[in-house]
Amino acid sequence: IAVLVTRALTVLILPRFRHQLPNRWLPVLYWGGLRGAICLALALSLPSQMGELRSQIQVMAFGVVLFTLLVQGTSMNLLIHWLGLAKRSQQQEEYERRHARAIMSRNAYHHLERRYRQGLLSEHVWSLLSPLLQQRTTSLTQAVQDILLREPNLEQEEIQTAWREMLRAERSTLNLLRRDGVINDEIYTQLTTEIDDALMSDRNGWSPLFLRFGTPPTIQRLLIVALHSADAERAMTSLLNYGLSITLLPSQSDHDHGKEAILLIGYPRELEETTLKVLQRSCSQHPSYLNTPFELVTRTSPLPASSKGSRWACAFEVEHFETF
């Protein structure tokens, strides 16, 4: 009981974390205070001159270790599921299944290709199998792409995973640079702090990467789009993954099925197709596109509106773009 109370004080009350942790994580940190090898090693290293006190401390250490392993350790899985930290949807399982099959097929192709180049596989057999394996790999890769396009949440999750893996790789590189004397401890601390802040950032996607470690993309096109407010939130979350400039403009329109939101999206020309695909995928109904921004002012008929989802969109070129 004393160990559990102390753990509660040190995890739930005393610390002031640099980054605010979600409340659902704190019970996991608290209940995950497992003891093991270090605790036992310290107890066994006590000198024999302590007499009975040494045996008493060892018994207490063994008792705490057994409790944490048998009670806390075996119930951790139930706690994580009860807190909703390990929810897996059918779409997620289907994506992982397709992704695994695509990777298996690609690696199998490269394995046979290496054997062919080493002379362990005849040219005749390789010429028969190669097009079949390529076709199979292409088909499986397309199946992965289809489910990512159909489920924006899965795409966003994979982008987030790739982003975090890239930052971790950069952090490992910093360790090598400091070890080899390329950078000093001061620079190492500064850069690792920046990477750690980016890893813990609440902002979604690649946008913090562009802001902190690179140059933002050159804005050459602007897209004004009026969306249902719920669609606007999904669109902003997905578009931020590409480091685009997104501004939520004030709108006083209020329809029976929800409030309208107007987004001003800036992007380079090469990302126009991607931007439109993400926008269409995030909307419950595709927008009606206007040819030029002047139609917003000159047209006499009301703008196309729907009772649900997107309403209209218009894109145009810009000569100069600044954010402030």
Side-chain angles (χ1 to χ4, degrees):
I1 293 176
V3 171
L4 293 178
V5 171
T6 305
R7 179 74 177 179
L9 290 174
T10 56
V11 173
L12 304 179
I13 299 178
L14 294 181
R16 292 295 179 264
F17 297 104
R18 180 177 180 182
H19 300 281
Q20 184 62 35
L21 298 178
N23 292 331
R24 292 192 302 171
W25 291 13
L26 295 179
V28 177
L29 288 177
Y30 164 67
W31 199 244
L34 307 184
R35 275 80 179 179
I38 296 179
C39 180
L40 295 178
L42 291 174
L44 294 174
S45 64
L46 295 175
S48 58
Q49 290 82 352
M50 296 182 64
E52 294 183 0
L53 183 59
R54 178 176 183 267
S55 300
Q56 184 179 1
I57 293 177
Q58 290 178 349
V59 170
M60 294 171 61
F62 273 94
V64 171
V65 170
L66 287 177
F67 176 83
T68 58
L69 295 181
L70 297 181
V71 178
Q72 292 176 255
T74 56
S75 60
M76 181 61 67
N77 188 42
L78 297 176
L79 177 64
I80 292 176
H81 282 83
W82 181 70
L83 294 173
L85 299 177
K87 291 183 178 179
R88 294 176 54 81
S89 62
Q90 293 182 352
Q91 292 82 1
Q92 176 70 26
E93 293 181 354
E94 179 62 22
Y95 162 72
E96 293 182 2
R97 188 178 299 111
R98 294 186 183 187
H99 195 190
R101 286 172 177 168
I103 295 175
M104 290 162 52
S105 179
R106 183 169 60 248
N107 289 344
Y109 175 84
H110 292 321
H111 174 71
L112 290 182
E113 185 181 26
R114 285 194 300 270
R115 291 181 63 85
Y116 163 69
R117 291 177 178 177
Q118 295 170 356
L120 302 176
L121 190 65
S122 67
E123 183 174 357
H124 173 71
V125 173
W126 174 245
S127 63
L128 293 176
L129 294 180
S130 176
L132 297 177
L133 292 175
Q134 286 181 335
Q135 181 180 1
R136 179 171 180 264
T137 301
T138 302
S139 176
L140 292 173
T141 303
Q142 183 62 43
V144 175
Q145 183 178 356
D146 291 342
I147 195 171
L148 288 177
L149 293 176
R150 192 168 64 248
E151 300 292 337
N153 292 335
L154 295 178
E155 181 190 52
Q156 179 184 349
E157 183 177 345
E158 183 166 357
I159 290 176
Q160 290 283 346
T161 301
W163 177 61
R164 289 192 295 268
E165 286 299 319
M166 185 209 63
L167 291 176
R168 293 191 184 101
E170 290 186 346
R171 205 181 193 289
S172 299
T173 303
L174 286 176
N175 294 332
L176 296 176
L177 293 177
R178 184 180 66 167
R179 185 196 66 184
D180 296 339
V182 179
I183 59 176
N184 58 30
D185 290 342
E186 183 179 356
I187 299 298
Y188 171 82
T189 302
Q190 176 186 351
L191 295 180
T192 53
T193 301
E194 291 181 356
I195 293 178
D196 291 341
D197 288 342
L199 283 170
M200 294 297 297
S201 174
D202 293 333
R203 302 184 63 179
N204 291 323
W206 292 84
S207 54
L209 173 67
F210 287 105
L211 294 175
R212 300 181 68 90
F213 302 107
T215 303
T218 302
I219 304 301
Q220 300 164 320
R221 300 270 293 173
L222 284 179
L223 175 67
I224 302 177
V225 57
L227 307 173
H228 187 278
S229 58
D231 291 340
E233 293 179 3
R234 289 193 295 268
M236 292 177 65
T237 300
S238 298
L239 290 171
L240 282 173
N241 291 325
Y242 299 93
L244 304 183
S245 173
I246 304 175
T247 303
L248 180 62
L249 301 178
S251 174
Q252 297 180 349
S253 300
D254 196 355
H255 299 279
D256 296 337
H257 291 76
K259 189 174 181 180
E260 180 185 74
I262 298 179
L263 297 182
L264 180 63
I265 306 169
Y267 55 89
R269 293 188 188 93
E270 59 268 20
L271 288 181
E272 180 164 25
E273 183 178 356
T274 300
T275 302
L276 295 179
K277 284 184 178 180
V278 171
L279 184 62
Q280 291 177 357
R281 170 167 94 237
S282 304
C283 297
S284 52
Q285 183 174 342
H286 292 177
S288 299
Y289 290 97
L290 307 180
N291 294 324
T292 66
F294 298 103
E295 290 190 40
L296 299 176
V297 181
T298 58
R299 62 184 298 152
T300 57
S301 59
L303 291 172
S306 62
S307 60
K308 180 182 179 182
S310 337
R311 285 149 176 86
W312 52 266
C314 179
F316 53 93
E317 296 279 340
V318 293
E319 294 183 0
H320 181 72
F321 180 88
E322 286 188 17
T323 57
F324 56 90

